[in-house]
Amino acid sequence: MTTILAYPFKNLPTTSKWALRFAIRPLSCSSQLRAAPAVQTKTKKTLAKPNIRNVVVVDGVRTPFLLSGTSYKDLMPHDLARAALTGLLHRTSVPKEVVDYIIFGTVIQEVKTSNVAREAALGAGFSDKTPAHTVTMACISANQAMTTGVGLIASGQCDVIVAGGVELMSDVPIRHSRKMRKLMLDLNKAKSMGQRLSLISKFRLNFLAPELPAVAEFSTSETMGHSADRLAAAFAVSRLEQDEYALRSHSLAKKAQDEGLLSDIVPFKVPGKDTVTKDNGIRPSSLEQMAKLKPAFIKPYGTVTAANSSFLTDGASAILIMAEEKALAMGYKPKAYLRDFMYVSQDPKDQLLLGPTYATPKVLEKAGLTMNDIDAFEFHEAFSGQILANFKAMDSDWFAENYMGRKTKVGLPPLEKFNNWGGSLSLGHPFGATGCRLVMAAANRLRKEGGQYGLVAACAAGGQVRYRGVIGPSRESFSWND
Amino acid sequence: MVACRAIGILSRFSAFRILRSRGYICRNFTGSSALLTRTHINYGVKGDVAVVRINSPNSKVNTLSKELHSEFTEVMNEIWASDQIRSAVLISSKPGCFIAGADINMLSACKTLQEVTQLSQEAQRILEKLEKSPKPVVAAINGSCLGGGLELAISCQYRIATKDRKTVLGVPEVLLGALPGAGGTQRLPKMVGVPAALDMMLTGRNIRADRAKKMGLVDQLVEPLGPGLKPPEERTMEYLEEVAITFAKGLADKKISPKRDKGLVEKLTAYAMTIPFVRQQVYKKVEEKVRKQTKGLYPAPLKIIDVVKTGIEQGSDAGYLSESQKFGELIMTKESKALMGLYHGQVLCKKNKFGAPQKDVKLNDKVKKKALTSFERDSIFSNLTGQLDYQGFEKADMVIEAVFEDLSLKHRVLKEVEAVIPDHCIFASNTSALPISEIAAVSKRPEKVIGMHYFSPVDKMQLLEIITTEKTSRDTSASAVAVGLKQGKVIIVVKDGPGFYTTRCLAPMMSEVIRILQEGVDPKKLDSLTTSFGFPVGAATLVDEVGVDVAKHVAEDLGKVFGERFGGGNPELLTQMVSKGFLGRKSGKGFYIYQEGVKRKDLNSDMDSILASLKLPPNSEVSSDEDIQFRLVTRFVNEAVMCLQEGILATPAEGDIGAVFGLGFPPCLGGPFRFVDLYGAQKIVDRLKKYEAAYGKQFTPCQLLADHANSPNKKFYQ
């Protein structure tokens, strides 16, 4: 889970770095800020830390997110990642040789391109002298890629980082069974015809049964959707509430799409096919239609359905982050600061998807902010039930006391500031790529809506609806502010 | 094929599994039925669904008592009469227990066969009404659903169970020497098929929810919930109720069918069972198997088969009648009384009579004999480390040493350990015969020293014998018992003395074993005599399993202390075996020859010369098969009673539990003390006197046993 505090760079007096750190923020910039006590806001005008370099987001892009099995189905993951990278180069006009390091997140790895960051970077024409690595942390893999970059910049190792993520659920590695693999490997080593024949004689028909990628949490053998359904039940979230929330997500996404707010999208010309320009999973429906669907996981009485879950998605994203002084020296007007972030983990069985509840208060406290200071919340929506369960947990004193060791509840994020341009339920959730989308949505919303701080939160492990699960041993969260 | 399957399942049946079941619990009710308000059952109506909640007062579990039975009948009649109610949900208010079974005290209180039969028939009647209920009833099961509880559940139209570790279904009556007496023998075969039903009833095994779903014993599963806005257990119960209500409504509206789709194997099995010839073969095979395993010592399994057969071949009316009659007959048997006694003893030995220890015992509760996922196994194993030094001992709360049975070695270990452990740390010694006070003699703090005698194989044997010395502090005892309970053990606490209780009882019997062998009885013959008496393992095999060297060690140690009374066989036999390397199974040779992967055991022919050299002339007066059996058992029993007389044992119940769970004393006899009560002290004393005349002092009845023989009213269990 991810929580982000965003502070739009445009509001800063751009002429002075000093002002950036110490100047008083123009209070008129945000109506929300006005509502907050002035003194409180003043003390929070900047979250810069002494002796630590400021890290900024110059800009970020993503390919359109498509339902898996649609236009991207014949591609390989590095093709999508390459598209995001070239899109970023195009959007920012950053000289390739300036980039010090490239990091990508991905969850279901294509074994041929296990370091997909490197393959994509080479294909996108980056220098072969630019190192690249790939990280994985379930649904917050891209967040991990970005915070790894933040760490490299803050520690002075690098100045310019490209972070991103990619997921291609249209194709997943399906393996031979262990027995078959063993036989094939042994055959490789067999020297004589006799040895080979004796090995082949051990072959049984059941060796041919394929092994699908993990459909369940490795530690608990429970699929994500199943876990989400249990979570919704534990917090008594009704089917109707879940459908209503999903409808909200789709409606807001549709609105944002129609108004052209999803500006982080770069068109992608699929080889041999048409150019894809927008997300294709946004499908506002009616509550009546949604009510007709059967439960997807806990049958026949569960509440999580295909309509109130995020869907299997193909997509890639990339983001350019820099040390502040480097960005300014290059003449960029960055979109946001990346301030604090935090990862937390919980019990993978019963609290798999509760990360946002745990991480949000921690990162706010670390930054010296409160819920009221946040102008844009971007939470990853794995399932309606998961978001609503987190809301209920955040609104419960009992939960805070008994499970979080807090005296009072975390408090609810106001819905009018929450995922206003749609979320993973409607836009889609390519596991490895969602993190960058969340950050860019927060940054763009702050610029558009005139807010100061944004909070990004995501739960890791999640989003496998319909038939496949991705493993995620724990929920982690990270957040930052600009 | 069906027969093979039934047999395959049955192969796991073993008389010694008796009373493994933990859930079958009963309590004395202090609650009075005279109260006008209902104390066991209440119900509320949600929409048009009645939610019936079972909650036996003042008890952790719900049991089917007379009060509960009559309140249930009342409530159901109200539900059937009400126009407003269209369906019902049956649920417990206790999170860990649906219904744990019939109230055993109610059964034990019955004086006559008719009384028991009548109880059974009353239960049959209400459950038959329930089965034919015009309004669908859904059983919502969380926690143990055993015996009468399961019989109630399968009379409902639909069953929903939580997929929780605590949720187990089963009919464990056979473990108490009885049969499911509330229609279970008739309904189960129809529900899950004859082979599976027989397996359940003959083994009494607990079935977990997911397995129950596959078998068709339950219709739906509900996953237990994690933390939410309420404690997980509470919310899980609510959720179970909510789900059950939607199903009750669905059933009433005919949107859900209570019929279940059967799998191919199930259909084939069901088809095969319609052929009379196949059925006869199944009965025959199962009966053969049961006869072989019970050796005719346990009447319940054969009666179960008989009742099931009657129901299938002659119709359910005859089946129900036969069930209630056989139920009555079985409850009245000595075997059933013995097993129920053991059950009570076991409940007793699952409590810490010393209260809670000052320092909490933190052990993983889940480490019980249940299937774990590989992940759970790994994470549990990560708590365990192996080392060859005393590093980290300064943080230990308890050290249990298990070095070889050698006093000077134990002293050395004790001193070394005491040099590094903190003040509060308890030192426990795992020994089978060395007196703890002698081990503690070199301790700086004898109040922290205690004996914990585990039985091999530790993961299978349920008993833990805890030995306290006069100096052992109460908190030390409490801590040791608490640790044992967390390990899932049944615990007896005994006073210190050579051989404590268990080893001391076994030693004279083993001495007799040697004498019997010296008298020319073949080890195979001896084994069959002991197993047919009800011991799970033959006497000669037992020596091989324990290890001949260990047996020799113990025989020598105890022989020195107790002298002539422990004599009989010549310990030279064991000494010669050890010197030839015949150490039993571990060395591949003992009385038998053991080969890897070979099940059949052949006699070790090299033993012939040893046995020939030590041969004794048998005394024909006392060498009949029955005499041989009684020579072994009476020495055991006599020594056990002596332990009570000397205060080594605190109660006869602990003596029975120790003998059955630690030494394999025949469960059908209920343990040495129950055996004296049921068989008659006088008869045992007569036997002892007869053997005393032949062999002398070793058979002299102890004073307490003689007292019991002299006053027939005296019983160990009143």
Side-chain angles (χ1 to χ4, degrees), chain A residues 349-364:
Chain A
K349 172 84 178 158
D350 291 327
Q351 306 202 347
L352 186 67
L353 303 165
L354 280 179
T357 302
Y358 282 90
T360 300
K362 284 191 182 170
V363 78
L364 286 174

Side-chain angles (χ1 to χ4, degrees), chain B residues 25-305:
Chain B
I25 290 170
C26 85
R27 284 295 142 84
N28 279 315
F29 287 119
T30 49
S32 143
S33 57
L35 288 172
L36 279 177
T37 49
R38 295 194 187 107
T39 50
H40 295 259
I41 291 187
N42 61 65
Y43 81 103
V45 182
K46 294 195 172 174
D48 56 6
V49 183
V51 179
V52 182
R53 295 194 178 83
I54 307 160
N55 194 4
S56 299
N58 310 319
S59 167
K60 274 192 209 157
V61 295
N62 295 322
T63 47
L64 292 172
S65 57
K66 279 186 181 159
E67 294 83 358
L68 193 144
H69 186 264
S70 70
E71 286 184 16
F72 180 70
T73 313
E74 255 174 60
V75 165
M76 286 316 293
N77 283 334
E78 278 179 35
I79 289 171
W80 284 320
S82 163
D83 293 335
Q84 193 203 340
I85 297 168
R86 297 185 58 222
S87 59
V89 166
L90 213 55
I91 193 168
S92 159
S93 300
K94 302 185 198 297
C97 175
F98 179 69
I99 296 176
D103 179 356
I104 298 183
N105 289 351
M106 169 182 82
L107 295 176
S108 324
C110 292
K111 295 272 182 303
T112 64
L113 190 148
Q114 285 72 26
E115 247 181 287
V116 186
T117 305
Q118 203 188 335
L119 276 179
S120 163
Q121 283 168 345
E122 279 166 19
Q124 285 177 352
R125 265 196 293 278
I126 176 71
L127 293 189
E128 195 181 359
K129 246 183 122 181
L130 182 62
E131 187 181 32
K132 295 187 174 142
S133 166
K135 300 177 179 178
V137 182
V138 177
I141 304 161
N142 183 45
S144 39
C145 173
L146 300 171
L150 182 63
E151 294 178 285
L152 176 65
I154 60 174
S155 305
C156 295
Q157 278 68 44
Y158 209 75
R159 283 147 300 281
I160 301 176
T162 56
K163 201 176 153 191
D164 191 288
R165 272 171 196 284
K166 280 190 197 148
T167 301
V168 288
L169 300 92
V171 272
E173 284 88 345
V174 70
L175 304 180
L176 296 172
L179 54 76
T185 60
Q186 307 303 305
R187 283 191 192 93
L188 264 183
K190 284 182 196 145
M191 180 162 262
V192 298
V194 178
L198 280 177
D199 171 55
M200 283 178 70
M201 289 188 274
L202 294 177
T203 63
R205 78 173 73 225
N206 282 346
I207 293 168
R208 292 219 260 162
D210 43 357
R211 173 99 191 94
K213 170 86 165 46
K214 280 190 199 127
M215 289 171 69
L217 205 51
V218 302
D219 300 288
Q220 288 295 338
L221 293 181
V222 165
E223 288 278 345
L225 300 180
L229 300 177
K230 285 177 184 173
E233 267 194 345
E234 195 183 323
R235 175 64 194 143
T236 300
M237 288 302 283
E238 268 182 24
Y239 181 52
L240 173 65
E241 190 181 305
E242 288 164 16
V243 172
I245 288 174
T246 60
F247 276 96
K249 280 187 180 150
L251 285 164
D253 297 341
K254 308 252 183 290
K255 280 184 190 155
I256 296 166
S257 158
K259 283 218 175 103
R260 187 176 64 91
D261 291 334
K262 289 185 173 176
L264 182 64
V265 176
E266 230 177 309
K267 278 184 192 155
L268 284 176
T269 312
Y271 171 72
M273 290 306 288
T274 59
I275 306 165
F277 173 75
V278 174
R279 284 206 302 271
Q280 295 309 325
Q281 287 303 308
V282 171
Y283 302 143
K284 213 176 107 198
K285 287 277 176 198
V286 176
E287 268 172 27
E288 268 171 27
K289 187 93 182 170
V290 164
R291 265 184 227 283
K292 206 175 149 207
Q293 290 193 329
T294 61
K295 302 191 192 309
L297 296 168
Y298 297 85
L302 287 175
K303 295 228 164 156
I304 290 173
I305 300 170

Side-chain angles (χ1 to χ4, degrees), chain A residues 52 81 85 111 127 133 213 256 320 334 377 385-386 405 408 415 419 439 463:
Chain A
I52 293 183
L85 283 175
V111 283
S127 158
H133 80 259
L320 179 63
F377 290 89
Q386 165 253 331
T408 55
L415 207 55
N419 291 7
V439 169

Side-chain angles (χ1 to χ4, degrees), chain A residues 441-460:
Chain A
N444 289 335
R445 274 178 58 197
L446 287 173
R447 289 168 67 83
K448 181 85 184 166
E449 297 164 357
Q452 187 179 12
Y453 297 115
L455 183 77
V456 169
C459 51

